[in-house]
Structures are given as structure tokens and as C-alpha cells.
Amino acid sequence: MNQFANSAESPDFDAPQIVRRTRRRRTVGIAAVAAALIAAGGGTALATSVASNSGSTPAATSTAVGSDATTILYVNGSVTVPVDFAGMDLVLAKPLLEKTQTKLGTVTKKAVTGCKPGSVIEVSPHAPKTVKKGDTINFVLCSG
């Protein structure tokens, strides 16, 4: 090709290097998104929701129990983060309380049919009220 007058050299592509660079960029992007989720608290909520849904017994089903009944709205500076305790037991709920720097209040049991014994069916104060660092959270657990 270089035999012609005023011709440019043919480009040389390094395909394996391009593939490596693309994979590295994709990996860095995924790691950045995962780190942002973990920093925002979404990683813990995701991990606990996967862990709490692994059982065969469903969470509480009652007219008094809804998604707001088991969710707190934690105010962290200017950001409000929802934390859902639905279906968790106290072993899983305590690390979330430590992470939000809130305190465990009274724990009572309530008889509700169709729920896993020991699982959280209600928190107080719950959404739409907000909770700050140092506040006390009361739990109602299913007694079966």
C-alpha cells in the first residue's frame, strides 16, 4: 500500500489490548457503583433483604402491618435513607441499628397468623416519621 504516492500507512490495531482496556473500564465502573451503594447503605439493605427472603415462611401478613410499619426513615445529614426491617429477626436488625447509630428500645411480641416467629412486623417510630442518630427504635415481633 505504501507504493502509491501520497498514501497513508495502514493502521495497526492491537485487538487484545483494546479488549483488556474495555474489560478493565467495565470492572472499574461496576466497582465504583458497588462502592457508592455500600457507602449509601444500599449494600446492607440489599444483603439483608436477600438473606431475609431466603426462608420459606413469608413475612407477616396483616391489615395493620404494611411497608411503612416496618420501615424507618433515617436522617443522615441532609440525606434521608429508608431502612426496612420487614421479616428480619433481632440478630439481623441489631447491625442495622448500629449502622444508623440508633438504640434498641422495647421489644414486644404480637400474635399474627402467617408470619415467621421472631420476625419484625412493626417498628416505632415508623415512616413517615424520621429518625436521627441516637433515637430509640421499638420493635414488635411475631409470636406465631
Side-chain angles (χ1 to χ4, degrees), residues 87-91 107 109-110 115-121 140-144:
M88 290 186 194
D89 58 359
L90 282 180
V91 175
V107 178
K109 294 191 176 188
K110 181 178 179 182
C115 67
K116 179 179 160 187
S119 63
V120 176
I121 57 173
V140 177
L141 301 179
C142 177
S143 65

Side-chain angles (χ1 to χ4, degrees), residues 1 6 8-9 13 16 22 29 35 75-76 88 95 101 104 126 132:
M1 182 156 173
N6 299 325
E9 293 185 17
F13 294 105
T22 304
V75 178
N76 186 9
M88 290 186 194
Q101 298 177 355
L104 177 63
H126 58 80
K132 295 179 273 188

Side-chain angles (χ1 to χ4, degrees), residues 7-129:
S7 66
E9 293 185 17
S10 62
D12 184 29
F13 294 105
D14 187 11
Q17 182 180 0
I18 293 171
V19 170
R20 281 192 304 270
R21 183 175 51 219
T22 304
R23 286 182 183 155
R24 189 174 353 161
R25 286 181 181 170
R26 185 180 307 131
T27 304
V28 168
I30 291 171
V33 169
L37 279 175
I38 290 170
T44 303
L46 178 63
T48 56
S49 69
V50 170
S52 67
N53 289 336
S54 62
S56 62
T57 307
T61 56
S62 173
T63 57
V65 178
S67 63
D68 285 344
T70 58
T71 303
I72 63 168
L73 295 176
Y74 176 68
V75 178
N76 186 9
S78 62
V79 178
T80 302
V81 180
V83 181
D84 191 15
F85 292 99
M88 290 186 194
D89 58 359
L90 282 180
V91 175
L92 291 174
K94 285 182 181 178
L96 284 177
L97 289 174
E98 290 174 8
K99 185 174 183 178
T100 57
Q101 298 177 355
T102 54
K103 300 173 192 168
L104 177 63
T106 60
V107 178
T108 57
K109 294 191 176 188
K110 181 178 179 182
V112 177
T113 58
C115 67
K116 179 179 160 187
S119 63
V120 176
I121 57 173
E122 191 176 336
V123 293
S124 175
H126 58 80
K129 294 180 183 175

